[in-house]
Amino acid sequence: MAPTRPQTPRPLRVNSRGAGLRPGRSGAGNPTLPASAMAAGPAPLGGHPRAQKPHLSKMERVVVSMQDPDQGVKMQSQRLLITVIPHAVTGNDVVEWLIQKYCIAEDEALHLGTLLVQHGYLYPLRDPRRLLLRPDETPYRFQVRLNWEQTPYFWMSTLWPAAELDYAIYLAKKNIRKQGALVDHEKVGYHHPSPATPAESSQRNPSPTSGAHSPGSKLIQMHKHTHPIEGVSEGRWGVHPPELGVGKSFPLETFNHPQAHYDQLHRKINHTWDLVVMQAREQLRAAKQRRKGDRLVIACQEQTYWLVNRPPVSLLLEGGSWTAEKSLQGQCVSLRCSLRTCLLTLGKDVSFEILAKFLTKTVDFYKRRIECCRKALGRTRVKSSVCLEAYLKFSSQRGPHDPLLSGCLPSNPWVTDDDTYWAMNAPSVAVPTKLRVEQWAFSFRELLEDPVGRAHFMDFLQTEFSAENLSFWEACEELRHGGQAQVPALVDAVYQQFLAPGAARWVNIDSRTMERTLEGLGRPHRHVLDDAQLHIYMLMKKDSYPRFLKSDLYKDLLAEAVVPLETKRRVFPFMWKPRHSSPSLALLPTSTSGEPEAAAGSPGGGDGET
Amino acid sequence: MAKEECKALLDALNKATACYHHLVLTIGGSADSQNLREELQKTRQKAQELAVAIRARLTPPLRDRGLGAEERAEFERLWVAFSGCLELLEADMRRALALGTEFPLHAPRRPLVRTGVEGGASGVAARALSARSLRHEGERDFDVEDLHQLEREILKVGEMIQDMEMKVNVPRWTVQARQTAGAELLSSASAGVSSVGGVSVQQRMGPCDLSKALAATIFSAVLLAAVALAVCVAKLS
């Protein structure tokens, strides 16, 4: 499955760090932009060049224009008990502004707003864990999207070890702040769906789905179809989620739980845990230097960032490594993102069946993929230089023989309604055309496939007293392609005639193949003589065939072969049989077939023939 | 003692990195200003000086083959923390460069994002430099030149990291961290007490707190009203 993300080619590294591999990062090397001023610069460590995905740049433009002091969204201040934090917007304002600016319907504005929230450009202040835009007085605030907006792309890239560290530090900070109570917060799955949600979703769902689907699954479909989050596109999501039953609800906090993440991280980057703790403490202390309002805002921002970019459930469940497996990247991303979209927008318990489906798909899918890759590794491959040479040789050899490329003599029956061409090239004809005889020289297979050629080859073999080889081969062919009912009888006949120790036409097969064939004769099937047939075939090909080509018999055939003349053109316009209007390609001077006799059939001339 | 010195320097570097991280968070937001850029520059320069010093101190013991196992383990631990710190610093510097180019202060292609952060961050920078306060003295085009310098510094740090990897071979996976999973909670209480500011350790989110704060205010207002009424009644009667 090809990932939908545009596969931009990785540019080469320009600065000095190209050569070494650092143990802390995976060895892919860190490409940077070869662009002008920023040799060191904003090119991220690993992964893709800095060009953002288009939907993100579009969103950025929207957000930037929202911030315009004159024309942007109306900003308010958020009042906490004593502190006042400016620059809050309400959901209502956002939706109205979008409607007004882009002249879209309310549903679309709502959807667009939700997208902005989900990608982290806006974050809700009241209910930060549900990334939805509500068209009411809920306040939101803008988030500065740091270069971190690229981080989601690098889930599985060389940057990830450092981002793990970031996440670990964040969790440690949270741990300190909440005094060890990571359990209480950031649970996705414990929110009751508010009345707004089904209404919104039914508003937003234009496509008719089967009535049995609950609103939640409609949301999933909607997101699946309408926007690619981080590379998910429609066709790649193989599993269509069943309707979200209420049934067995499976609280997700055991999986998607910061405590679980914390423990996992602790196991994984245990060696840097000192640093994690130190940094967490110091960062909190540094934050205390600010005023309270700023502190709150920054904490909010960070929380939103990690909510939006949280590592996915499926990978954590497997306990699998987070480092890149590039070939699986696309599939992984799609699964992750679809699951995450699921979780983020629903905010309710996802039923166990869906989760199970995702899980099994992941594990099995990986196993199959591994098998597939292993097999692919084992396949023999031909170098393209060799392959292309063979192509060239083939084309140059066959060019003159191709009726479309080089024209056919006497004339193309489809054009002139004259079927001499077919008559002359019939399978069994007394005198073959020259082209046909030449074709026998190309390969042994050509010779054998042509009945006339085979017949002549048989004659030749008879002069050499090795005609039984060809007979044996023909008998084997008959066995292979014949009727099933005749197989035992035929096998027996072949054995009697060719393989038995004192047979009349005994063929010379090496002992090992003979043993195997004799064993197989006990239970005859149509492929029992395949080994022997192959052996004889190779024998003829290596031995008799070159001699045939050099023999007098063949040379005589070549000499006797006929070259048809091109039919003369009629001049009179009102004849019953229309003739082709242009001369045959075969007679063009550039043609390589080089048949001087054919030139005698020159077109034109005033004499008509009846 | 070399180890104590190293530890002290590492703590200082850690502090500087944390402060730098904190400052980088606000670039491009509503609190961005010339002062911020200056503070960034000072912080990162301090961090780099510290890094060079630590490296000079840590490399010889680690390259010394004759060091005992215990000592070596200790130094390796410090090394791992140090390189992690440097990597964090480098990542933050790159982000700072990217954001700094996207949000130039003067002649803005786009105005700064209004994030709601307003105050200055000089306290943070002062903490990083272990100074009382900070003087700001930049010229007008400070941020543009600063960016060039930042690029160079990123390259330098990158080279330093590379060099470190080449010279000293410390397999990270063998290092055992001293802190356990919940370690930050244990001494955080003591740290909280001694921290500057004396703000309560429990930093709750504002929005979550709103309803509770509101309830508390109403309750206290009602209480006050009741007390006032009682006093009036007492006075009247």
Side-chain angles (χ1 to χ4, degrees):
Chain A
M1 287 195 184
T4 34
R5 174 177 328 177
Q7 292 288 325
T8 49
R10 296 209 186 168
L12 295 173
R13 203 116 163 106
V14 282
N15 69 11
S16 60
R17 214 191 307 162
L21 289 180
R22 298 210 238 152
R25 303 171 192 228
S26 73
N30 303 330
T32 54
L33 287 175
S36 49
M38 316 230 177
L45 304 167
H48 303 254
R50 193 153 180 270
Q52 269 182 11
K53 304 189 69 171
H55 69 279
L56 280 186
S57 357
K58 287 179 196 160
M59 275 199 248
E60 250 187 46
R61 280 202 289 272
V62 171
V63 169
V64 166
S65 58
M66 269 176 147
Q67 305 232 333
D68 192 79
D70 306 318
Q71 309 231 324
V73 187
K74 202 167 36 148
M75 299 263 187
Q76 299 165 359
S77 300
Q78 178 198 12
R79 300 200 76 96
L80 303 175
L81 195 51
I82 316 168
T83 28
V84 175
I85 307 181
H87 305 154
V89 296
T90 56
N92 230 357
D93 289 336
V94 170
V95 169
E96 275 175 23
W97 184 86
L98 283 172
I99 293 178
Q100 191 213 10
K101 171 133 185 173
Y102 295 109
C103 305
I104 50 181
E106 192 186 333
D107 309 350
E108 204 177 330
L110 204 54
H111 180 58
L112 186 55
T114 311
L115 278 182
L116 288 176
V117 172
Q118 276 177 353
H119 278 76
Y121 285 100
L122 277 177
Y123 59 95
L125 292 171
R126 280 245 184 87
D127 197 0
R129 282 156 280 280
R130 296 205 49 208
L131 299 179
L132 279 183
L133 185 81
R134 291 167 192 271
D136 54 13
E137 296 304 307
T138 340
Y140 292 84
R141 184 167 287 127
F142 289 103
Q143 166 100 306
V144 179
R145 295 270 300 191
L146 303 188
N147 235 7
W148 295 349
E149 69 207 344
Q150 298 170 328
T151 312
Y153 308 151
F154 302 127
W155 279 123
M156 302 212 225
S157 81
T158 58
L159 185 58
W160 188 237
E164 275 179 344
L165 197 56
D166 285 334
Y167 192 49
I169 293 176
Y170 167 69
L171 284 178
K173 276 199 288 190
K174 219 176 168 57
N175 213 6
I176 297 178
R177 275 212 307 265
K178 310 278 187 231
Q179 294 294 297
L182 274 181
V183 289
D184 281 343
H185 297 265
E186 286 190 79
K187 273 192 294 211
V188 178
Y190 261 16
H191 295 282
H192 300 289
S194 66
T197 322
E200 285 170 15
S201 68
S202 55
Q203 265 181 350
R204 272 189 270 155
N205 188 11
S207 61
T209 54
S210 65
H213 283 239
S214 65
S217 65
K218 278 190 194 152
L219 263 180
I220 301 177
Q221 285 175 27
M222 178 80 175
H223 284 291
K224 178 169 85 117
H225 287 289
T226 52
H227 68 81
I229 293 189
E230 296 167 0
V232 175
S233 81
E234 208 180 356
R236 291 196 295 141
W237 206 16
V239 176
H240 196 86
E243 65 218 63
L244 291 177
V246 178
K248 265 192 290 181
S249 68
F250 187 65
L252 281 172
E253 68 276 8
T254 47
F255 286 167
N256 210 7
H257 191 216
Q259 187 65 41
H261 293 193
Y262 185 81
D263 296 330
Q264 181 123 18
L265 278 172
H266 179 68
R267 276 198 303 274
K268 201 159 184 250
I269 50 172
N270 194 18
H271 50 89
T272 53
W273 206 253
D274 285 342
L275 179 64
V276 168
V277 169
M278 284 197 314
Q279 269 289 308
R281 288 198 197 127
E282 275 305 324
Q283 282 187 10
L284 279 180
R285 285 187 206 140
K288 285 186 185 134
Q289 304 294 323
R290 283 190 175 269
R291 26 181 298 257
K292 180 155 189 212
D294 295 349
R295 231 182 301 153
L296 288 172
V297 168
I298 292 179
C300 265
Q301 283 180 356
E302 210 181 347
Q303 186 193 29
T304 310
Y305 168 68
W306 284 112
L307 266 180
V308 171
N309 297 315
R310 228 192 339 219
V313 175
S314 57
L315 292 180
L316 278 182
L317 281 170
E318 280 183 90
S321 89
W322 280 339
T323 52
E325 238 189 292
K326 294 280 188 283
S327 59
L328 299 170
Q329 195 170 356
Q331 189 75 5
C332 250
V333 168
S334 76
L335 280 177
R336 274 194 291 113
C337 296
S338 42
L339 187 56
R340 199 190 319 164
T341 320
C342 221
L343 301 175
L344 286 179
T345 47
L346 293 180
K348 65 179 194 176
D349 294 337
V350 179
S351 76
F352 187 63
E353 292 91 53
I354 296 190
L355 215 50
K357 261 213 167 57
F358 276 120
L359 291 182
T360 47
K361 184 167 177 78
T362 318
V363 171
D364 283 345
F365 166 73
Y366 282 166
K367 286 193 181 137
R368 269 183 282 128
R369 235 355 237 256
I370 289 175
E371 219 18 73
C372 209
C373 292
R374 210 173 274 151
K375 280 191 206 142
L377 278 178
R379 265 184 244 138
T380 49
R381 282 169 172 79
V382 183
K383 278 211 291 204
S384 52
S385 54
V386 172
C387 201
L388 290 172
E389 273 180 35
Y391 265 128
L392 283 177
K393 185 159 161 261
F394 182 88
S395 312
S396 55
Q397 218 180 31
R398 307 261 166 169
H401 297 263
D402 190 290
L404 287 177
L405 284 183
S406 320
C408 48
L409 303 169
S411 62
N412 191 339
W414 298 111
V415 175
T416 57
D417 285 345
D418 177 21
D419 50 6
T420 326
Y421 178 72
W422 288 331
M424 296 186 79
N425 286 304
S428 314
V429 77
V431 186
T433 58
K434 185 146 185 173
L435 282 180
R436 194 168 167 180
V437 178
E438 279 173 7
Q439 253 178 325
W440 300 341
F442 289 165
S443 81
F444 188 46
R445 196 166 56 89
E446 294 270 349
L447 179 62
L448 283 187
E449 275 174 5
D450 192 353
V452 176
R454 202 193 282 189
H456 286 295
F457 188 58
M458 179 70 98
D459 294 337
F460 172 73
L461 285 181
Q462 269 161 0
T463 63
E464 296 219 326
F465 304 108
S466 42
E468 62 267 13
N469 290 340
L470 191 55
S471 307
F472 176 68
W473 185 86
E474 283 177 349
C476 290
E477 280 291 290
E478 211 186 307
L479 173 66
R480 280 216 313 202
H481 300 296
Q484 183 67 22
Q486 285 87 37
V487 162
L490 210 51
V491 167
D492 215 20
V494 166
Y495 174 71
Q496 293 303 330
Q497 207 179 7
F498 296 102
L499 296 174
R505 313 181 72 187
W506 189 80
V507 286
N508 189 9
I509 303 181
D510 68 309
S511 53
R512 231 173 353 129
T513 323
M514 182 66 105
E515 271 172 34
R516 256 189 300 178
T517 314
L518 291 177
E519 271 171 34
L521 285 183
R523 284 188 294 140
H525 55 93
R526 64 172 75 237
H527 292 287
V528 69
L529 294 174
D530 269 5
D531 292 335
Q533 185 188 10
L534 187 63
H535 179 86
I536 293 293
Y537 180 85
M538 297 310 284
L539 185 66
M540 288 195 286
K541 179 172 165 180
K542 298 238 167 70
D543 200 21
S544 318
Y545 177 60
R547 282 206 297 267
F548 169 72
L549 292 181
K550 293 188 202 113
S551 66
D552 295 332
L553 183 65
Y554 184 66
K555 294 203 174 86
D556 292 339
L557 281 171
L558 266 182
E560 283 166 12
V562 68
V563 176
L565 305 175
E566 199 198 4
T567 42
K568 295 235 174 23
R569 283 205 307 181
R570 305 271 171 200
V571 178
F572 290 155
F574 32 81
M575 298 306 293
W576 290 118
K577 291 191 190 167
R579 303 292 177 182
H580 60 265
S581 57
S582 52
S584 167
L585 279 173
L587 298 177
L588 289 175
T590 52
S591 154
T592 53
S593 51
E595 291 149 355
E597 307 94 84
S602 57
D607 35 288
E609 283 178 12
T610 48
Chain B
M1 226 359 247
K3 242 189 298 179
E4 271 68 32
E5 265 181 57
C6 286
K7 213 142 182 6
L9 283 173
L10 192 58
D11 285 336
L13 176 64
N14 189 36
K15 198 165 29 162
T17 313
C19 295
Y20 189 71
H21 171 81
H22 199 78
L23 290 171
V24 169
L25 283 182
T26 48
I27 297 184
S30 43
D32 200 357
S33 69
Q34 176 118 330
N35 291 346
L36 180 68
R37 306 289 170 108
E38 282 181 29
E39 283 153 17
L40 278 169
Q41 185 198 44
K42 294 203 173 93
T43 317
R44 74 167 183 264
Q45 277 169 356
K46 171 97 174 144
Q48 281 174 36
E49 285 166 31
L50 286 168
V52 169
I54 297 182
R55 183 183 162 206
R57 291 249 160 66
L58 270 186
T59 321
L62 283 171
R63 295 188 75 166
D64 178 16
R65 301 296 172 101
L67 208 52
E70 286 272 334
E71 295 242 345
R72 200 181 169 83
E74 192 55 42
F75 275 114
E76 278 182 3
R77 206 170 291 140
L78 289 173
W79 181 263
V80 166
F82 172 49
S83 54
C85 222
L86 259 194
E87 285 188 7
L88 283 176
L89 181 68
E90 199 211 348
D92 279 330
M93 279 163 77
R94 281 179 190 255
R95 289 180 195 145
L97 181 62
L99 285 175
T101 28
E102 279 205 36
F103 294 98
L105 285 176
H106 309 284
R109 274 177 326 198
R110 54 191 198 181
L112 302 172
V113 179
R114 292 190 274 175
T115 49
V117 178
E118 273 195 331
S122 42
V124 181
R127 185 186 166 79
L129 303 174
S130 313
R132 277 276 136 200
S133 62
L134 225 30
R135 271 179 311 132
H136 296 294
E137 54 207 10
E139 320 85 30
R140 195 168 149 79
D141 263 343
F142 179 78
D143 54 335
V144 175
E145 289 173 17
D146 188 40
L147 286 177
H148 292 311
Q149 190 166 10
L150 178 55
E151 267 185 72
R152 287 194 285 272
E153 287 178 13
I154 292 179
L155 281 172
K156 257 197 295 189
V157 172
E159 278 173 27
M160 182 170 11
I161 296 182
Q162 175 80 337
D163 213 25
M164 276 163 51
E165 297 291 335
M166 290 294 134
K167 290 230 172 81
V168 177
N169 181 22
V170 172
R172 278 146 212 256
W173 50 91
T174 58
V175 172
Q176 288 279 18
R178 244 210 220 121
Q179 315 274 9
T180 54
E184 62 266 11
L185 294 174
L186 295 176
S187 41
S188 69
S190 57
V193 165
S194 63
S195 71
V196 182
V199 182
S200 72
V201 180
Q202 280 196 336
Q203 297 277 343
R204 301 268 196 89
M205 296 298 182
C208 306
D209 212 13
L210 187 58
S211 47
K212 285 197 186 152
L214 208 54
T217 349
I218 293 177
F219 178 67
S220 48
V222 165
L223 197 59
L224 277 173
V227 165
L229 276 175
V231 165
C232 288
V233 165
K235 275 216 170 127
L236 278 177
S237 60

